[in-house]
Amino acid sequence: MTTTDTDAASWAASARIYNSAVAAWAIGAAWEVGALDELQERGALDTAEFAARHDLDPASTLGMFRALASVGVVRRDGTRVVPAEDFAEIQRTRSLFHWLVRGSGELFRQMPSVLRNENRVGTFYQRDPVAIARSCKEISVFCYDPWFWRAMEGLDFDVRVAADLGCGSGERLMQILRRHPDARGLGVDIAGDSLKVAAADAADAGLAGRLSFVEADMLTMDPRPEFTEVDLLTCFMAGHDFWPREQCVATLARLRELFPNARRFLLGDATRSVGVPDAEMPVFMLGFEVAHDLMGTFMPTMADWEGVFAESGWRLRHKHDIGMVANEVIFELEPR
């Protein structure tokens, strides 16, 4: 390879990385404005007509699709756009990109500041909790739900009251209540804005009378009378907030006290990768782990989790090892 060839290859590699970064933002935007769903449903769209119909700036809308075309998500001929070879996979995993660029975009934008120890005090980063909740709602559908419902089908009791810690959009509780018409639900989350959206969605679904929400930090929340009625406890994509180890053991033990009649605890979360080369990280895993490193949140491995249950008063009944995008797992726990 000549010097010129080497320079050209390096330039092309830089372009791929740069264009992929732009395209990641475009994927998050295309989901929010409905472009991905319309392309899937119709098989083609005209960017100018789409922009006019949704009151979008036409030049910016075309730019969004140019970014998608640069990485093979769509093919573009002027203003006409059709799905390309990678469209189906991006449509399936769009929430992972949304989590990164919309939910955690400000965190990554501030990376130079967040890296400095002098700045890592108090509230030293920001994320968008509403965008995180929206992303996690869809991430749950393909990363957790099939295994979650297997665990639910294996319960040896009828659910009366289910509580979801870090409930976000409230979607999991609404699904539980639809399948268990005699049950009630209680959502707990620290993000008040997310709970407002969740409460509105529950009302729209006709579940307001059976589903209530509590704005509280699951690590420090006070006892409440309604907690004693809970027989099913769930927590998804938030368990890593329990850590480091000493805090995790204390938190799990305290949950046993706060929810004394919980017969089952379904705990689902991503876990830190072990032995995966940096260049072979699957979609989401790297972003998830780096984001939590930036936030100073300890990410436990599978073995870390398995080492705290007995000490904190829980018995591991079964482990659903998912491992789709970020070493996801669902632990089925019961009181010891």
Side-chain angles (χ1 to χ4, degrees):
M1 181 179 287
T2 66
T3 302
T4 302
D5 291 336
T6 301
D7 291 344
S10 297
W11 183 254
S14 294
R16 283 194 300 273
I17 295 170
Y18 189 95
N19 294 346
S20 294
V22 178
W25 285 92
I27 290 167
W31 179 28
E32 283 203 27
V33 301
L36 296 180
D37 286 336
E38 184 162 322
L39 264 179
Q40 183 174 30
E41 294 166 5
R42 299 189 178 189
L45 60 77
D46 180 86
T47 65
E49 187 276 336
F50 178 85
R53 186 155 36 86
H54 293 277
D55 193 24
L56 306 175
D57 176 69
S60 302
T61 303
L62 178 60
M64 177 184 71
F65 283 107
R66 290 181 62 207
L68 297 180
S70 74
V71 294
V73 177
V74 302
R75 289 194 299 274
R76 185 179 67 86
D77 182 8
T79 60
R80 187 175 188 273
V81 175
V82 298
E85 55 274 13
D86 292 332
F87 177 83
E89 181 61 17
I90 295 303
Q91 173 73 328
R92 187 178 74 89
T93 60
R94 62 192 186 180
S95 53
L96 305 178
F97 291 88
H98 192 269
W99 180 95
L100 179 70
V101 300
R102 290 288 278 164
S104 305
E106 181 64 14
L107 171 66
F108 282 93
R109 190 181 77 83
Q110 293 291 349
M111 186 184 289
S113 174
V114 171
L115 290 173
R116 298 184 182 279
N117 284 325
E118 62 187 287
N119 297 330
R120 297 177 68 84
V121 294
T123 305
F124 62 89
Y125 66 86
Q126 291 183 342
R127 294 203 298 167
D128 185 332
V130 175
I132 292 287
R134 177 178 182 178
S135 302
C136 289
K137 177 179 178 179
E138 188 159 303
I139 291 170
S140 181
V141 171
F142 68 92
C143 283
Y144 291 99
D145 280 7
W147 294 268
F148 171 72
W149 290 113
R150 288 176 201 167
M152 289 291 294
E153 291 165 2
L155 295 178
D156 52 3
F157 61 93
D158 293 327
V159 178
R160 294 181 297 108
V161 180
D164 188 29
L165 305 179
C167 66
S169 68
E171 179 63 21
R172 185 170 306 283
L173 285 169
M174 286 187 273
Q175 291 180 355
I176 291 173
L177 299 191
R178 291 188 190 104
R179 296 202 185 192
H180 296 267
D182 295 327
R184 291 180 288 114
L186 177 65
V188 179
D189 203 291
I190 196 173
D193 289 343
S194 296
L195 292 183
K196 291 176 184 177
V197 175
D201 288 347
D204 291 342
L207 296 171
R210 299 169 55 203
L211 180 53
S212 58
F213 297 96
V214 174
E215 183 177 348
D217 184 341
M218 60 186 175
L219 301 181
T220 60
M221 58 188 177
D222 295 323
R224 299 174 67 97
E226 57 265 45
F227 288 173
T228 64
E229 301 176 359
V230 171
D231 50 13
L232 173 65
L233 188 62
T234 66
C235 180
F236 279 75
M237 291 179 279
H240 49 273
D241 291 336
F242 295 177
W243 290 78
R245 190 182 194 282
E246 183 176 344
Q247 176 180 284
C248 183
V249 171
T251 298
L252 288 171
R254 189 156 186 271
L255 291 178
R256 283 280 294 107
E257 299 173 357
L258 290 173
F259 300 91
N261 295 309
R263 299 180 59 180
R264 199 68 44 83
F265 182 13
L266 303 182
L267 175 61
D269 208 358
T271 61
R272 183 171 290 277
S273 59
V274 177
V276 181
D278 294 340
E280 298 177 15
M281 289 278 188
V283 62
F284 194 61
M285 181 182 289
L286 180 64
F288 190 77
E289 293 186 4
V290 171
H292 286 83
D293 290 340
L294 290 173
M295 292 186 289
T297 302
F298 178 83
M299 279 294 298
T301 65
M302 196 89 70
D304 288 332
W305 271 117
E306 292 174 347
V308 297
F309 296 137
E311 186 176 345
S312 58
W314 297 92
R315 185 176 77 86
L316 178 59
R317 286 176 54 99
H318 186 70
K319 178 178 71 173
H320 300 266
D321 195 347
I322 303 169
M324 184 175 294
V325 298
N327 296 316
E328 312 95 301
V329 62
I330 297 176
F331 298 109
E332 293 188 34
L333 307 174
E334 66 180 3
R336 284 171 60 84

